[in-house]
């Protein structure tokens, strides 16, 4: 069929053969399959996440001026420097090029106040990079989110300096001492509720709008919900995070807060207040979704998100701290290996055979 | 009709446009062919000709060996030369027999008479013909087809599936066969159905081959006696994996460790169906096959009918060689996901060479094995839903007990997990090693018990 019965094609002439260039075998790479790769590499993923943080960085600059940039630059530079020095000390190839330390530095900076002294920033970076990440073996081995651990350590160790929050737009490049400071809405609400005052102000649309755009006191990246949401949508569009994590965190907080409001009104402000204030948005989109410290399966991600949402609410409403996002993330990070173990997916065809829709038919061809 | 969509899988840029839809071409007669003896899974056939014997195209040169084996035939008319060692397609040197052509007239051996009235022929004779024709699986593993068509009597088979998914990127040889020889493919399928004693035939083709789907659908009307259903499947790799294909078409899941026949299915590649048709209706044994020669460096990519035993260098010469400004980094027999990299241009084409793919140096994947980010991409894309990230770490640390517990033996080795890994970790490579080690361990244990 394909070659005729009498196929007498002459051999290709020698002249024709010389024109044809054949691949050089000495250049050939020998390795087992697969031979092609798709998708971004680790460093590119880190860079994409950093790009998604840009709206939050711009918002921080708009509301807190040059102090915001000062804190971000110090945190980022010292995180990268500690990563480099650690690699130098343990005689390993420098891993600064994977941009994970830069990302940790940026997240750490966005998690603290614009008035944080430089030494606190540097100490926090040291804890985040060396103690929370490198001693475990570096990128991919750390059980806890480095930025969250760094922030918690700073909050514990320098709680005075860490709870000084500038009023937005109050200073641009004036010295720190001249800044107007204010408590965060979360702590104001907690003390108001503690004293039995009305919480109506925190549920007013004017306040909620300011909280959404970012005109409230707080950490650099936490105040503007709008900026974090833009970055978060970018993360989901680039498929850098599992959407299940932020969605389950936010949904859990919304449900829990509305239940509390329903059964004991006056304990805490409404759902939107809790969603728009504090580190919830930044934590849900950028911190909890850190690939290394979140579960690998979809089911696990939902369990993880629900756990964080519950812990945040419990700490905020019943705990002594006004904000608990970093605590919730670190606590749930500790459970990730367990979650992964129990949300283990069954391999294809592991369960009993399900009969398909075709009826078994047997017959002889006539 | 419902299509079951399996979880996982991915669709890389498939570059099928390089070779799809082009006219099939033939290779000119070469002065020398080297036919590898052991081309099939199982034992090698035994050489039954000696140096200097005159052979015709299709003359038996090696009888089937003991057990799992198929015979081998001469791809051209000529003289038998030396038995030599040549680089094999799966690495290592393998035994091969040379066939020298001295401008002899190319004629077919007529020892296998055509069987035009196959519908009235006993099943036994048809099965014997498939064996005599040397037909093996043409997709990848080269499993002897006559064994596939002889399920043990206690297994009830009710569905024959013709695998035309061709999910591997770059390859279009099955596509070409279905476009241009749909009737032959379906008659081959009908012969298999007769042997199995069933009437239900499903043809699974990925949606990105509309011409093939149309052509197979048209051809299916003209074949009486069997119910042929052509189904368009979602475009994703590994749609053509046996278990995935059975699930997509019938909704039946082949449990881990079981065979397709346990759920009443037999899966045959469309290339093998064509070979069966050729062996039964024309009496031509499997001595040449259609192969996609493709890749960005290739001057003239396309689908070529290549006699088994033609060396790679001759094939590439006839495809115009490589472009002047290219730097070929890899030559692959098969597709880019599961094919084998070659190191020599002397490798002959064998029965399961579905494609010859050249990759630019910049296109070749580098598995640098960075730290795992636990991003879950591998878990998300694994068609078997294995916990790839933890499994890969267990295998790397040679904790085969954990690997066994986490079902490493269910791995298809499709390579998706390695391809999508941002840290460029060689996941599937670890699994292959673990599977081999585990098999060795179980052999050792069996021997101990004896």
């Amino acid at each position: 069929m394909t070659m005729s019965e009498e196929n007498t094609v002459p051999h290709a002439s020698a002249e024709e053969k010389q024109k044809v260039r054949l691949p050089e075998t000495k250049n050939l790479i020998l390795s087992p399959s697969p031979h092609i790769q798709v998708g971004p590499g680790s460093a590119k993923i880190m860079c994409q996440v950093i790009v998604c943080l840009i709206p939050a960085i711009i918002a921080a600059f708009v509301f807190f001026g040059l102090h915001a940039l000062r804190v971000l630059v110090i945190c980022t530079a010292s995180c990268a420097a500690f990563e480099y020095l650690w690699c130098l000390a343990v005689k390993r190839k420098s891993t600064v090029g994977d941009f994970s330390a830069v990302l940790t530095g940026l997240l750490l900076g966005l998690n603290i106040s614009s008035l944080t002294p430089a030494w606190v920033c540097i100490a926090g970076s040291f804890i985040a990079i060396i103690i929370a990440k490198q001693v475990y073996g570096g990128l991919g081995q750390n059980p806890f989110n480095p930025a969250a651990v760094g922030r918690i350590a700073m909050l514990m160790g320098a709680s005075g300096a860490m709870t000084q929050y500038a009023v937005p737009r109050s200073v641009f490049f004036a010295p720190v001492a001249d800044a107007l400071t204010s408590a965060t809405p979360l702590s104001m609400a907690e003390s108001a509720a503690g004293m039995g005052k009305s919480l109506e102000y925190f549920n007013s649309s004017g306040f909620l709008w300011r909280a959404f755009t970012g005109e409230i006191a707080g950490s650099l990246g936490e105040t503007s919900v709008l900026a974090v949401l833009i970055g978060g949508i970018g993360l989901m569009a680039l498929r850098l995070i599992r959407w299940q994590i932020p969605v389950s965190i936010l949904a859990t907080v919304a449900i829990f807060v509305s239940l509390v409001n329903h059964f004991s009104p006056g304990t805490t402000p409404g759902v939107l207040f809790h969603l728009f204030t504090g580190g919830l948005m930044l934590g849900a989109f950028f911190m909890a979704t850190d690939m290394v410290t979140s579960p690998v399966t979809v089911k696990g991600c939902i369990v993880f998100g629900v756990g964080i949402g519950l812990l945040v609410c419990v700490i905020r409403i019943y705990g002594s701290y006004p904000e608990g996002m970093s605590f919730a993330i670190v606590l749930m990070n500790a459970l990730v290996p367990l979650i992964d173990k129990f949300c283990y997916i069954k391999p294809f065809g592991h369960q009993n055979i399900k009969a398909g829709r075709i009826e078994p038919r047997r017959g002889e061809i006539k | 009709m419902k299509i079951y969509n399996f979880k996982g899988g991915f669709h890389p840029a498939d570059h099928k446009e390089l070779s799809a839809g082009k006219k099939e071409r033939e290779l000119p007669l070469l002065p020398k062919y080297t036919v590898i003896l052991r081309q099939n899974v199982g034992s090698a056939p035994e050489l039954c000709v000696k140096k200097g014997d005159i052979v015709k195209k299709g003359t038996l040169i090696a009888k089937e060996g003991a057990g799992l084996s198929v015979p081998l035939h001469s791809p051209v008319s000529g003289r038998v030369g030396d038995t030599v060692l040549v680089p094999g397609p799966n690495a290592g040197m393998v035994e091969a027999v040379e066939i020298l052509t001295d401008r002899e007239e190319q004629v077919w051996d007529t020892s296998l008479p055509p069987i035009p009235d196959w519908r009235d022929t006993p099943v036994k004779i048809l099965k014997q013909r498939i064996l005599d024709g040397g037909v093996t699986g043409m997709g990848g593993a080269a499993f002897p087809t006559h064994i596939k068509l002889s399920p043990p009597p206690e297994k009830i088979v009710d569905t024959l599936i013709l695998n035309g998914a061709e999910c591997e990127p770059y390859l279009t040889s099955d596509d070409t066969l279905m476009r241009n020889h749909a009737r032959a493919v379906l008659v081959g399928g009908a012969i298999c159905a007769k042997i199995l004693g069933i009437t239900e035939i499903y043809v699974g083709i990925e949606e990105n081959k509309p011409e093939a789907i149309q052509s197979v659908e048209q051809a299916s009307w003209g074949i009486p006696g069997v119910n042929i259903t052509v189904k368009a499947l979602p475009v994703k790799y590994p749609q053509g994996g046996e278990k995935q294909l059975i699930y997509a078409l019938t909704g039946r899941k082949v449990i881990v460790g079981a065979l397709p026949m346990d759920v009443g299915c037999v899966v045959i590649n469309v290339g093998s169906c064509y070979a069966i048709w050729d062996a039964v209706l024309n009496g031509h044994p499997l001595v040449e096959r259609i192969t996609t020669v493709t890749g960005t460096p290739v001057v003239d990519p396309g689908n070529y009918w290549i006699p088994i035993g033609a060396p790679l260098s001759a094939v590439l010469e006839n495809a115009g060689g490589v472009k002047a400004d290219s730097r070929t980094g890899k030559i692959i027999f098969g597709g880019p996901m599961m094919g084998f990299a070659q190191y020599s241009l002397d490798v002959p084409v064998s029965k399961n060479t579905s494609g010859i793919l050249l990759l630019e140096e910049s296109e070749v994947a580098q598995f640098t094995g960075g730290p795992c980010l636990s991003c879950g991409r591998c878990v998300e894309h694994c068609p078997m839903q294995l916990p790839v990230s933890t499994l890969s770490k267990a295998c790397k640390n040679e904790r085969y007990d954990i690997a066994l517990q986490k079902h490493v033996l269910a791995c298809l080795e499709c390579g998706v997990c390695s391809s999508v890994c941002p840290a460029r970790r060689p996941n599937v490579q670890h699994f292959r090693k673990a599977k081999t080690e585990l098999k060795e361990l179980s052999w050792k244990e069996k021997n101990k018990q004896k």
Side-chain angles (χ1 to χ4, degrees):
Chain A
M1 167 86 192
T2 51
M3 208 181 260
S4 57
E5 287 295 318
E6 288 183 356
N7 191 346
T8 47
V9 186
H11 298 159
S13 65
E15 277 171 40
E16 250 177 69
K17 272 185 187 173
Q18 275 172 359
K19 283 181 205 160
V20 174
R21 181 176 175 242
L22 287 180
E24 285 165 32
T25 45
K26 67 173 187 340
N27 292 335
L28 293 180
I29 303 163
L30 260 187
S31 63
S33 64
H35 306 289
I36 50 169
Q37 242 157 8
V38 295
S42 301
K44 202 174 166 193
I45 286 183
M46 296 296 169
C47 291
Q48 285 175 334
V49 177
I50 291 171
V51 168
C52 290
L53 275 175
I54 286 176
I57 294 170
I58 291 173
F61 180 67
V62 167
F63 293 121
F64 301 107
L66 284 179
H67 288 294
L69 287 191
R70 175 186 67 94
V71 167
L72 286 173
V73 167
I74 291 174
C75 285
T76 312
S78 51
C79 277
F82 282 128
E83 176 112 345
Y84 178 75
L85 290 174
W86 173 271
C87 291
L88 212 63
V90 298
K91 298 190 177 78
R92 207 181 285 158
K93 210 182 138 219
S94 167
T95 51
V96 180
D98 64 19
F99 291 102
S100 64
V102 174
L103 180 59
T104 303
L106 278 175
L107 281 174
L108 190 65
L110 289 172
N111 261 303
I112 54 179
S113 156
S114 61
L115 305 178
T116 313
W119 69 270
V120 178
C121 294
I122 294 170
S125 304
F126 175 83
I127 289 163
I129 293 296
I130 305 293
I131 294 180
K133 185 174 145 194
Q134 291 296 353
V135 291
Y136 289 106
L139 179 65
Q141 312 296 324
N142 48 311
F144 303 108
N145 188 322
V149 172
R151 184 211 154 124
I152 290 172
M154 288 155 89
L155 193 64
M156 302 273 185
S159 48
M162 283 289 293
T163 44
Q164 296 283 311
Y165 293 103
V167 172
R169 299 184 206 267
S170 68
V171 289
F172 188 73
F173 44 71
V176 173
D178 294 355
L180 285 174
T181 61
S182 149
T184 61
L186 271 170
S187 49
M188 288 196 280
E190 187 166 87
S191 55
M195 288 184 276
K197 285 183 190 163
S198 161
L199 296 172
E200 219 143 88
Y201 167 70
F202 299 110
N203 290 334
S204 67
S205 59
F207 173 79
L208 288 176
W209 174 250
R210 283 197 291 125
F212 182 72
T213 52
E215 291 242 39
I216 49 169
S219 302
L220 294 180
E222 295 179 354
T223 58
S224 177
V225 173
L226 181 67
V228 173
L229 269 181
I230 293 171
I233 289 167
L235 284 178
M236 293 201 272
L238 289 168
R239 300 188 59 123
L240 296 172
I241 60 168
R242 303 243 171 161
W243 61 267
Q244 287 90 350
I245 296 178
V247 167
S248 57
I249 293 175
L250 300 180
T252 311
V253 170
I255 293 168
F256 193 93
V257 172
S258 51
L259 283 179
V260 169
N261 268 318
H262 184 259
F263 289 108
S264 58
T267 335
T268 190
V271 172
L272 284 178
F273 172 84
H274 276 282
L275 290 183
F276 290 174
T277 57
L280 187 73
M281 282 287 169
L282 185 73
F285 282 101
F286 287 94
M287 308 270 290
T289 53
D290 171 29
M291 293 165 177
V292 177
T293 53
S294 62
V296 287
T297 60
V298 170
K299 231 197 287 175
C301 285
I302 293 171
V303 173
F304 180 71
V306 169
I308 289 178
L310 285 178
L311 282 171
V312 167
C313 292
V314 169
I315 296 170
R316 278 187 179 184
I317 300 170
Y318 303 110
S320 56
Y321 277 97
E323 171 59 317
M325 197 59 195
S326 350
F327 294 107
I329 291 172
V330 168
L331 276 172
M332 286 310 287
N333 282 164
L335 292 182
V336 163
L338 209 61
I339 294 173
D340 265 339
K341 193 174 172 182
F342 285 105
C343 294
Y344 169 57
I345 29 171
K346 283 177 182 158
F348 179 84
H350 182 72
Q351 53 272 73
N352 294 334
I353 309 161
K354 271 190 204 154
R357 83 177 12 206
I358 318 160
E359 292 296 311
R361 249 187 282 180
R362 283 173 71 85
E364 193 73 21
I365 300 173
K366 295 282 152 24
Chain B
M1 190 162 243
K2 188 175 176 187
I3 299 288
Y4 296 82
N5 199 351
F6 69 91
K7 280 186 201 160
F10 77 140
H11 182 63
D14 58 20
H15 299 290
K16 287 191 192 273
E17 72 285 348
L18 288 173
S19 56
K22 286 195 179 174
K23 203 171 166 281
E24 301 162 21
R25 279 171 288 182
E26 286 173 21
L27 244 54
L29 192 65
L30 305 172
K32 191 170 83 178
Y33 293 82
T34 42
V35 185
I36 296 173
L37 279 178
R38 189 174 173 277
Q39 298 197 11
N40 53 286
V41 170
S43 59
E46 292 153 18
L47 203 62
C48 60
V49 286
K50 53 186 189 300
K51 192 179 172 183
D53 281 1
I54 302 293
V55 289
K56 289 181 191 164
K57 193 175 178 181
T59 304
L60 188 72
I61 52 173
K63 276 187 239 164
E64 79 260 26
L68 209 59
S69 186
V70 290
L72 203 58
H73 306 82
S74 168
V76 284
S77 302
R79 271 183 306 109
V80 177
D82 293 315
T83 307
V84 289
L85 283 177
V86 293
N90 302 353
M93 299 299 276
V94 292
E95 218 181 339
V97 61
E98 286 180 336
I99 307 287
L100 307 166
T101 58
D102 299 325
R103 292 181 183 254
E104 270 124 345
E105 209 184 1
Q106 291 297 311
V107 284
W108 278 98
D109 193 296
T110 49
S111 57
L112 294 178
I115 313 177
D117 51 346
W118 57 272
R119 283 169 198 275
D120 307 321
T121 311
V123 167
K124 214 177 153 186
I125 293 177
L126 289 176
K127 224 190 255 182
Q128 186 62 38
R129 170 54 58 90
I130 290 173
L131 169 62
D132 290 341
V135 182
T136 64
M138 313 258 288
F143 189 84
T145 302
H146 67 280
I147 305 283
K148 226 178 200 179
L149 294 175
S150 323
E154 71 272 12
K155 304 273 190 224
I156 298 168
V157 172
D158 58 20
T159 310
L160 173 70
I161 291 173
L162 304 191
N163 186 352
E166 201 163 51
C167 55
E168 276 269 13
Y170 290 96
L171 303 190
T172 55
S173 56
D174 289 350
D175 184 19
T176 310
L177 268 185
M178 289 186 289
R179 281 190 202 201
N180 304 340
H181 308 281
R183 203 188 139 74
V185 168
L186 292 180
V187 169
I191 294 170
C192 296
K194 181 182 163 68
I195 292 171
L196 291 166
I198 58 178
T199 55
E200 208 66 43
I201 299 181
Y202 284 80
V203 191
I205 306 172
E206 275 191 352
E207 271 163 358
N208 60 356
K209 300 182 245 308
E211 295 89 352
I213 295 172
Q214 200 193 357
S215 142
V216 172
E217 252 169 9
Q218 276 174 1
S220 68
W221 301 333
I223 297 168
V226 283
N227 299 325
I228 297 174
T229 318
V230 184
K231 281 198 191 180
L233 306 172
V235 183
K236 63 177 180 177
Y237 177 86
Q239 189 62 264
E242 225 169 32
K243 291 179 174 180
Q244 277 67 28
L245 189 67
I246 292 172
Y247 179 68
L249 292 173
T250 67
R252 303 174 197 181
K253 286 182 176 176
V254 182
I255 56 169
V256 177
L259 290 170
M261 61 178 70
D262 292 321
V263 292
C265 294
V266 169
V267 183
I268 289 185
N269 175 268
V270 290
S272 310
C273 288
Y274 181 86
I276 289 168
W277 169 83
D278 212 12
V280 174
L281 274 93
N282 300 334
H284 293 167
L286 176 53
V287 293
E288 60 178 348
R289 65 154 299 144
I290 190 159
T291 297
T292 309
V293 183
T294 188
T296 28
V298 180
V299 172
D300 195 5
N303 285 289
Y304 293 81
W305 282 96
I306 302 176
I308 308 296
L312 174 59
S313 53
V315 175
L316 287 180
E317 261 165 34
N318 282 287
V322 290
K323 289 172 191 159
D325 53 348
S326 69
R327 206 175 146 82
T328 309
K330 227 173 205 183
I331 301 179
I332 299 154
F333 267 28
M337 294 303 295
M338 289 184 84
F340 289 91
Q342 304 300 327
Y343 61 96
S344 160
L345 296 183
D346 300 328
V347 188
V349 168
S350 56
K351 287 178 182 177
N352 60 349
T353 312
S354 50
I356 295 171
L357 169 63
L358 272 64
L359 290 180
E360 274 295 335
E361 214 161 53
S362 56
E363 294 172 317
V364 176
Q366 303 280 348
F367 293 99
T368 43
C372 173
L373 296 179
S374 310
C375 64
R377 277 177 170 74
C378 48
V379 181
E380 184 189 343
H381 290 291
C382 178
M384 296 302 287
Q385 278 109 57
L386 297 174
V388 182
S389 52
T390 40
L391 196 53
S392 163
K393 286 170 204 164
C395 291
K396 195 188 174 195
N397 296 330
E398 308 200 338
R399 285 297 302 270
Y400 298 129
D401 50 334
I402 299 176
L404 191 65
Q405 227 174 36
K406 292 192 187 290
H407 303 283
V408 71
L409 295 180
C411 174
L412 292 177
E413 304 180 23
C414 66
V416 170
C417 52
S418 298
S419 262
V420 299
C421 182
R424 310 304 187 211
R425 289 170 71 81
N427 298 320
V428 74
Q429 291 87 332
H430 288 316
F431 299 158
R432 267 189 215 119
K433 183 170 173 246
K435 283 171 82 174
T436 325
E437 298 269 343
L438 281 169
K439 268 175 206 161
E440 253 172 47
L441 280 178
S442 68
W443 277 333
K444 272 181 198 163
E445 256 172 44
K446 261 185 200 168
N447 289 341
K448 255 186 208 171
Q449 281 168 1
K450 276 174 193 171

